[in-house]
Every structure is written in structure tokens, then in C-alpha cells.
Amino acid sequence: MDLLERLNLEKVSVLDLGCGVGRNSIPIAQRIQEFGGTVHAVDLLPVAIDKLSAYIGEYNVQGAITVEAADAEYYGIASEAYDYIVVCSCLEHVSNVQAFRAVVERMIRGTQRNGINCVLINTEVKEYDPESGVEQDGLIELNLPTGEALRLLRELYAGWEILIEKHVPQTVHEHKQGKQIEFRGVWVTFAAQRKGAG
Ligand SMILES: C[S@@+](CC[C@H](N)C(=O)[O-])C[C@H]1O[C@@H](n2cnc3c(N)ncnc32)[C@H](O)[C@@H]1O
């Protein structure tokens, strides 16, 4: 939300990849709708898109959000279509590093000059069972070491201005298969702004 304020909000164009039920799309739409801005919200799961569609009515942002069920891994983004692209907790669900690179490269091509990309990703994910004391690797598609994720992002966004680069340990308590587990990992936030012709 803070990064949005760096942009000219007049008719600002936002893409939320892996939008879920709209935790980010809805507040962004609320902020930009008075300026004629729009959010395009994309998620793999039709059920997430259905829930988001209901929230669009509930939060009265009908004119400011469009939705689409699609796989971010193969999602085509028109050249320089967006001022702001956010991908929150989604890139850890693509198949491999090659797919990660491909998605970010499409985001980069799809961003206008002075536009911003914000990538939030869980890394080094572990699942800890407090009952047994056993910790095992998290069952997610792309479980990157934090340093590797940051190295990739710095490389892909070479020539852009890095606005945020931080990583913090994170524990989320989850109920899984009848058990209470701890989902442990590192929460990486990386944001960059496209400058000049870069
Ligand atoms: C942890 S949720 C995050 C949702 C939202 N971005 C947020 O911050 O609240 C992860 C979302 O990514 C979606 N997702 C996972 N893999 C995806 C893919 N390949 N393409 C698009 N969405 C995907 C899931 O369906 C889920 O809604």
C-alpha cells in the first residue's frame, strides 16, 4: 500500500498475481478507484476468484477490479501494461527456478517506465510438529534458500531501483490433517521501481 503512493494514481493500472481472495486487491482497489485506477486480480483457483468476486460487491469496488482464474506460471502479461505488479505468496508455488525466472521476466516486461514490482515470498519453509518435535522441509513447490531468492531477484531486477529488500523469520500456526503444526520460514519482501529505459 505504501509503495502505491510513489506512483501517479491517475488511471493507475495494477496486477495482483496469485491474488487469493483479495487481501491486497481489495484495499488497493479502494485506494485507487477514485482516480480511475484498476486492479486485475489473477489466481489459479476458481474458488478464490469466486470469493474475491463476492468481496468486490461487499466492499463496493466493482468498477475498480477485474478478475481472472489463470496459472501465474504461464500467464501472459502484455508489454508495459501495468504501473504496479504485486505477487504475494505465490512464486513459491511455481514449479522450479526456471518458472520463477520466467514469471518475473514477464512481470518486468509488463511494467511501464517508473512502474513498481513488489515480490513477497516465503523461503526456507519448514513444517514443525510440536507434538513429536519433528521438523521437516515444507511441502511447497519451490522452497528456495533465502539468499538464492534474493540473488535471483537482484539479478532479474538489475537496472531497476531497489526500494525494499528485507527478510524476517516467520512462524504461522496452521491446522493440517487434524494436527496443529508450525509453518516456519523466512518472509522475503523485495520491491523495485523501473527507472529510465531499464
Ligand atoms: C497464500 S495465498 C496468498 C494470496 C494473496 N496474494 C494474499 O497475499 O493474501 C497463495 C495464493 O496463490 C495462489 N496460487 C498458487 N499457485 C498459483 C499459480 N501457479 N498461479 C496463480 N495463483 C497461484 C493460490 O491459489 C492462493 O490463492
Side-chain angles (χ1 to χ4, degrees):
M1 293 302 292
D2 292 344
L3 291 171
L4 264 183
E5 305 305 325
R6 298 179 70 101
L7 298 170
N8 174 5
L9 294 185
E10 202 56 44
K11 293 199 167 41
V12 71
S13 177
V14 178
L15 174 65
D16 184 1
L17 263 188
C19 59
V21 299
R23 184 166 64 109
N24 298 308
S25 297
I26 297 278
I28 292 172
Q30 286 176 319
R31 175 72 185 108
I32 67 179
Q33 69 177 344
E34 67 180 287
F35 302 97
T38 50
V39 184
H40 189 56
V42 175
D43 199 279
L44 180 65
L45 295 180
V47 66
I49 294 297
D50 288 348
K51 285 192 174 166
L52 170 54
S53 300
Y55 288 136
I56 288 172
E58 200 171 309
Y59 288 93
N60 215 9
V61 286
Q62 289 90 337
I65 304 192
T66 52
V67 298
E68 186 177 351
D71 188 343
E73 191 163 331
Y74 304 99
Y75 189 68
I77 305 173
S79 179
E80 300 191 18
Y82 295 100
D83 300 294
Y84 185 65
I85 301 180
V86 57
V87 60
C88 180
S89 228
C90 173
L91 284 173
E92 56 273 62
H93 298 297
V94 300
S95 307
N96 49 40
V97 170
Q98 200 184 349
F100 176 100
R101 278 181 177 280
V103 176
V104 174
E105 280 165 1
R106 275 184 236 123
M107 289 168 53
I108 286 172
R109 279 197 300 274
T111 307
Q112 293 184 15
R113 189 172 303 183
N114 292 319
I116 292 174
N117 284 185
C118 184
V119 175
L120 303 107
I121 181 171
N122 286 291
T123 55
E124 296 175 22
V125 176
K126 307 266 186 214
E127 284 180 19
Y128 173 69
D129 179 351
E131 209 177 284
S132 64
V134 173
E135 186 182 70
Q136 58 183 20
D137 283 345
L139 299 174
I140 61 167
E141 292 80 356
L142 183 63
N143 203 353
L144 287 171
T146 307
E148 171 71 352
L150 289 169
R151 190 195 62 71
L152 275 165
L153 289 166
R154 278 186 219 118
E155 180 201 315
L156 287 159
Y157 285 97
W160 287 42
E161 181 186 348
I162 308 300
L163 304 176
I164 304 175
E165 188 187 305
K166 64 179 182 187
H167 54 97
V168 291
Q170 171 176 254
T171 299
V172 177
H173 296 270
E174 278 190 358
H175 200 68
K176 188 176 171 186
Q177 291 163 351
K179 275 187 171 180
Q180 203 60 39
I181 63 145
E182 286 179 19
F183 180 79
R184 296 174 170 175
V186 177
W187 182 239
V188 171
T189 306
F190 183 96
Q193 185 161 24
R194 182 174 172 181
K195 290 293 179 191

